[in-house]
Structures are given as C-alpha cells and as structure tokens.
Amino acid sequence: MKNFTSFADAGDYQALLNKALEIKQNPFGYQHIGRNKTVGLIFFNPSLRTRLSSVKAAYNLGAQAWVLNAGADSWTLEMADGAVMNGSTQEHIKDAIAVMSQYCDVLGVRTFPTLTDRDEDYEERTFNKILQYATVPVISLESATRHPLQSFADLITVAEFKRTERVKVVLTWAPHVRALPQCVPNSFAEWFSEVEWVDFVITHPEGYELDERFTKGARIEYDQRKALEGADFVQAKNWSSFHDYGQVLGNDPAWMLTPAHMALTNDAKFLHCLPVRRNVEVSDAVLDAPGSLIIEEAGNRVFSMQTVLHELLK
Ligand code: AN0
Ligand code: CP
C-alpha cells in the first residue's frame, strides 16, 4: 500500500479485513511499527469521529499524532496553481503540504466537495494536489467523492456481526435538511459491490442515482420496501443528486427509516456512519433499538485507521 484513498488501494480486501480483526483483538501488539513515527492529520472541514479515531489509532500503534484544522488554525490556503496571491489567501497549498510532509511519516487529509462544480469534485482536483505535493504516504480522511476509512469500518462491522455465510446488505437513501456529499454512499458502493459474500442492493428515489463508476455491479431498486425485504444489514445515508449536481430534489419523509421499515428485513442490523439527523433521516426507535450498531460502527473507525497506518508504516 502506497496511499489509501479508495477501494483499489486496499488491495486484497479480505486480507486487510482479517488484519483489522486481528489488530482489534490485540490493539497494542504492533507498537514497534509506530515507535518514533508521527501521524499528521489535516482537516479542511469539521469532524468528530475521523479526527479522534485517527489520533487513537496512532496512539494504539505506538505513534504520535498532530492535528491541524486548515484555515481555522493556520493561514488561509490558496489552491489555484499560478495564483497571484494578492487577495485573502495567505499561503499556497504547494508550500503548506511540502512543509507539513516534513513533520510526519504519514499524512491524513480531509477535504470536501464543492457540490457546485462536478468536474472539479469528481476529478478530485484538491486531493490530487495534496497527493502531488506530499512527500509521505497520504490517507484520505474523506475527499470530494470518497470516504474509504468509513467503508472499511463498515466492512469490519458487517464481518463481526454477520450470522450467515452470505448476507444481504442494503444502502438506503434517507431525507436530510441540507445538501450532503455523495462520498459515503460512493465508497460504500465501491466496497460492498466487490465483497464476494455480500448481496448488495442500493435503494433511493429516482433522481438520486450515484455515479455508475461506483455502483457498477450493484442492484438498484427504487422501491425501498422491496429493497429492504430480507436484508441482514441496512445502512442509511442522505446524499444530494449526482446528475442534478449537488441539488436536493425532494425530501419525501416516507424514506425516513422507522421500525415499520425494519420490520420488512431479516431482523437486520442497522448502520449509519454518523453524524445522523435524528427523526429526519432515521427515527429514534431505529437508532436506539438493540439491532442498531451505530456506536460499534463508529468504534471500528479506530481499527480501520489503525490497520491502514500499520500497512503504510510497516
Ligand atoms: C458528511 C457527509 O455526508 O459526507 C460527513 C459524514 C461522514 N456529513 C455531514 O456533513 C452531515
Ligand atoms: N463518520 C465520520 O466520518 O464522522 P466525522 O465527520 O465526525 O469524522
């Protein structure tokens, strides 16, 4: 592994999953790998789980971590190549990333999409600049189009809680009050459509089709009730439209996950990457039910990150 930005970087996903399950059993067993190593974490956007689980993962591995909230804690960064910097930006991303690379052995970066310029987002122009200027391995802490550490944590969670050899996993769109990125569903689709022991179904209202580069191989079912039938795991997430880029096309509250939806499933376990808008995306009764794994799923963010750090630092 050279960088970790997508499913492709995971290589043999089953081997990586087995490693994560092993590390979870013995979280301090690889401290020789992190000794005298520094993990740098840069956030261009807010975070609770990614930020804290990454620090914890570094500590478990015997490494130190620093965090920078770019823009808020540092100089305002210029992204455009060749910019005449006589406006509000104070330091070029080129210099900032090259400098920060000297202060760490691996660099985690969170960027978000513009949700207004689809080409800029789907070409990952910001993240690719970071890859270009970094001189150490780079981990995506969520980019414009992907959130691979989240999907890896979701895979760990499904593997831990599955009751049968094969499982049906459903990703369902959920209503929200804001326009959100497609990163989480893109990555979820990219990962779960490749897992051999998963029957993967995506359900969403018409107009919320994701980029086919992420959903190829997945079954798409517009009837949410039909999709949920017999599900072993249900992951709910809102996303804005890909085709009508960044738009909220409708927010039918009937798509909010309730116990009536879950009753259609095979006593499914419930997943959500968090943060969740309670009683908008999903009802309290689902989030707080015994079958809800939202806290365990967030807990596994430590082990997805720790496993990736292990692979990059070993
Ligand atoms: C972000 C998103 O949808 O990508 C982060 C989720 C991990 N969610 C929100 O902005 C609410
Ligand atoms: N799930 C997730 O990535 O959460 P944060 O945005 O809080 O890091």
Side-chain angles (χ1 to χ4, degrees):
M1 197 186 285
K2 288 206 167 66
N3 298 299
F4 183 76
T5 65
S6 68
F7 179 76
D9 289 336
D12 179 346
Y13 72 85
Q14 190 62 50
L16 201 68
L17 171 61
N18 292 343
K19 192 75 200 171
L21 294 169
E22 184 214 315
I23 286 176
K24 187 168 179 177
Q25 290 306 311
N26 184 19
F28 309 119
Y30 292 94
Q31 295 209 336
H32 56 284
I33 285 175
R35 195 169 58 230
N36 295 334
K37 299 284 196 246
T38 303
V39 177
L41 301 166
I42 308 172
F43 288 85
F44 287 88
N45 288 88
S47 165
L48 186 152
R49 277 144 292 275
T50 306
R51 177 178 174 146
L52 299 179
S53 65
S54 296
V55 171
K56 174 66 175 145
Y59 289 175
N60 283 356
L61 204 58
Q64 301 287 324
W66 55 249
V67 182
L68 182 78
N69 293 311
D73 294 348
S74 65
W75 305 107
T76 306
L77 296 176
E78 174 62 53
M79 298 291 179
D81 294 330
V84 177
M85 289 173 56
N86 59 1
S88 58
T89 57
Q90 296 158 304
E91 177 162 15
H92 202 278
I93 185 84
K94 180 189 286 197
D95 303 317
I97 294 292
V99 167
M100 287 188 281
S101 290
Q102 299 180 95
Y103 305 154
C104 60
D105 299 283
V106 51
L107 192 59
V109 184
R110 167 169 282 194
T111 63
F112 264 11
T114 62
L115 288 185
T116 53
D117 184 336
R118 189 168 82 175
D119 290 342
E120 174 172 341
D121 292 345
Y122 274 72
E123 287 165 16
E124 290 283 4
R125 284 189 207 148
T126 301
F127 209 86
N128 284 334
K129 280 202 175 107
I130 288 157
L131 286 170
Q132 183 187 341
Y133 300 132
T135 56
V136 293
V138 175
I139 299 176
S140 165
L141 307 176
E142 189 171 11
S143 66
T145 65
R146 288 182 171 92
H147 196 354
L149 285 170
Q150 182 65 52
S151 304
F152 184 20
D154 296 344
L155 182 61
I156 297 168
T157 313
V158 169
E160 282 181 315
F161 285 90
K162 75 189 183 84
R163 294 159 292 196
T164 48
E165 204 50 50
R166 290 199 71 77
V167 286
K168 178 176 177 183
V169 176
V170 177
L171 168 65
T172 178
W173 182 90
H176 201 282
V177 294
R178 292 182 50 209
L180 296 190
Q182 295 105 35
C183 312
V184 171
N186 281 347
S187 275
F188 197 82
E190 188 172 53
W191 284 64
F192 279 81
S193 55
E194 290 291 335
V195 178
E196 261 167 46
W197 40 268
V198 165
D199 297 317
F200 181 50
V201 181
I202 306 173
T203 183
H204 54 71
E206 282 185 42
Y208 282 105
E209 292 78 11
L210 295 162
D211 184 345
E212 282 174 18
R213 283 172 289 185
F214 294 96
T215 60
K216 61 177 181 325
R219 189 182 130 209
I220 313 233
E221 171 58 67
Y222 291 106
D223 182 338
Q224 189 190 31
R225 297 177 63 86
K226 221 187 218 175
L228 292 171
E229 272 169 23
D232 299 296
F233 292 86
V234 176
Q235 157 108 328
K237 181 73 180 84
N238 171 267
W239 62 87
S240 60
S241 173
F242 169 72
H243 291 284
D244 198 354
Y245 195 61
Q247 296 304 301
V248 176
L249 303 175
N251 250 334
D252 183 356
W255 281 76
M256 179 179 84
L257 262 271
T258 66
H261 293 88
M262 295 304 284
L264 300 165
T265 69
N266 179 27
D267 195 20
K269 301 290 186 197
F270 179 76
L271 302 167
H272 190 291
C273 68
L274 303 181
V276 65
R277 295 267 185 154
R278 283 177 171 257
N279 305 309
V280 175
E281 292 178 77
V282 187
S283 73
D284 280 341
V286 172
L287 291 164
D288 300 331
S292 169
L293 297 179
I294 56 173
I295 305 303
E296 291 84 348
E297 180 181 4
N300 279 332
R301 292 295 305 278
V302 173
F303 301 104
S304 63
M305 182 59 161
Q306 196 176 331
T307 306
V308 168
L309 287 174
H310 172 277
E311 294 305 302
L312 291 174
L313 292 174
K314 77 180 180 196

